[in-house]
Amino acid sequence: GAVVSQHPSRVICKSGTSVKIECRSLDFQATTMFWYRQFPKQSLMLMATSNEGSKATYEQGVEKDKFLINHASLTLSTLTVTSAHPEDSSFYICSARVRQFSYEQYFGPGTRLTVT
Amino acid sequence: AQKVTQAQTEISVVEKEDVTLDCVYETRDTTYYLFWYKQPPSGELVFLIRRNSFDEQNEISGRYSWNFQKSTSSFNFTITASQVVDSAVYFCALSEGLIYNQGGKLIFGQGTELSVKP
């Protein structure tokens, strides 16, 4: 089956620094990737939809200048948390859609971000 | 509005008991997909099933079974003879059809934490 990887799996950073998380589709090309955030004991909340070669579409309430998304190729999307604060500590999960107009999505293993 | 409700926040059962996880959804669309995912303590989501709105047949996969009823907008998940390894958080999710959702994004329920004790 389709495999999606995320790097790093865990990261601890100091408040005020920026952190980049990578999401890669390993054996398929993903025209669309999604970024979710999950706080402890809560559900997954969609942050943004990322289409290759175009600007990401952010969900209401998500600051696009704080969560920078780049989808430069069909196999890689990156999420950069800029000027991170402790309240940004969360579990970030990406998913990739196999092809346009498909309902099949494959999830990455997630990245646990802790901001101290 | 599109919404997924999993009213059971936590369920605790003893091994070998049967357990049903409830999922109720709201959608404006006649074409949609429903999903169940398992999230073990490691955090990685495990896909369990996808169902489209035109297929109301119940499905069984080993100890897992799903009951889809459009009349009540429900898509319930039953584990028979539960095992300790079934302990996890289970999420129900909805993806509306392409008329409203060309991006294919998923709306997740709040999740049900299942604890199976030996």
Side-chain angles (χ1 to χ4, degrees), chain A residues 4 32 34 36 38 41-46 49 59 91 93 97 101-105 107-110 112, chain B residues 10 31 33 35 37 39 42-45 50 91 95-98 102-106 108-111 113:
Chain A
V4 175
T32 303
F34 302 90
Y36 296 85
Q38 185 181 29
K41 299 285 189 179
Q42 293 189 26
S43 186
L44 283 77
M45 298 300 295
L46 180 66
T49 302
E59 295 298 301
F91 192 54
I93 306 174
R97 192 167 64 167
F101 304 131
S102 166
Y103 291 96
E104 293 180 75
Q105 281 186 38
F107 284 84
R112 192 163 302 281
Chain B
E10 296 179 8
T31 302
Y33 282 81
F35 302 78
Y37 288 90
Q39 188 178 42
S42 65
E44 185 162 1
L45 283 177
R50 180 183 71 212
F91 289 98
S95 182
E96 290 187 320
L98 293 175
Q102 291 191 7
K105 66 183 182 183
L106 290 172
F108 283 85
Q110 301 90 323
E113 184 171 4

Side-chain angles (χ1 to χ4, degrees), chain A residues 33-37 44-50 56-65 67 69, chain B residues 2 28 100-101 103-107:
Chain A
M33 290 184 172
F34 302 90
W35 286 96
Y36 296 85
R37 180 169 53 184
L44 283 77
M45 298 300 295
L46 180 66
M47 298 175 66
T49 302
S50 166
T57 302
Y58 290 82
E59 295 298 301
Q60 195 171 8
V62 177
E63 299 174 60
K64 62 181 181 182
D65 294 331
F67 298 100
I69 293 173
Chain B
Q2 45 190 320
R28 55 191 162 175
Y100 293 103
N101 185 22
K105 66 183 182 183
L106 290 172
I107 304 299

Side-chain angles (χ1 to χ4, degrees), chain B residues 13-92:
Chain B
V13 299
V14 176
E15 209 170 17
K16 297 184 183 176
E17 284 184 15
D18 297 349
V19 59
T20 295
L21 282 59
D22 298 333
C23 173
V24 175
Y25 62 92
E26 294 176 33
T27 178
R28 55 191 162 175
D29 206 347
T30 56
T31 302
Y32 51 89
Y33 282 81
L34 295 163
F35 302 78
W36 275 95
Y37 288 90
K38 175 182 180 180
Q39 188 178 42
S42 65
E44 185 162 1
L45 283 177
V46 177
F47 168 79
L48 296 178
I49 191 171
R50 180 183 71 212
R51 202 48 143 190
N52 75 55
S53 53
F54 299 108
D55 184 0
E56 282 194 77
Q57 272 196 331
N58 291 333
E59 178 143 346
I60 298 174
S61 177
R63 296 184 297 107
Y64 296 170
S65 62
W66 291 270
N67 182 276
F68 176 28
Q69 293 197 347
K70 287 179 76 171
S71 60
T72 56
S73 297
S74 65
F75 186 43
N76 297 338
F77 172 34
T78 298
I79 302 174
T80 58
S82 60
Q83 299 176 2
V84 173
V85 293
D86 295 327
S87 297
V89 180
Y90 291 85
F91 289 98
C92 180

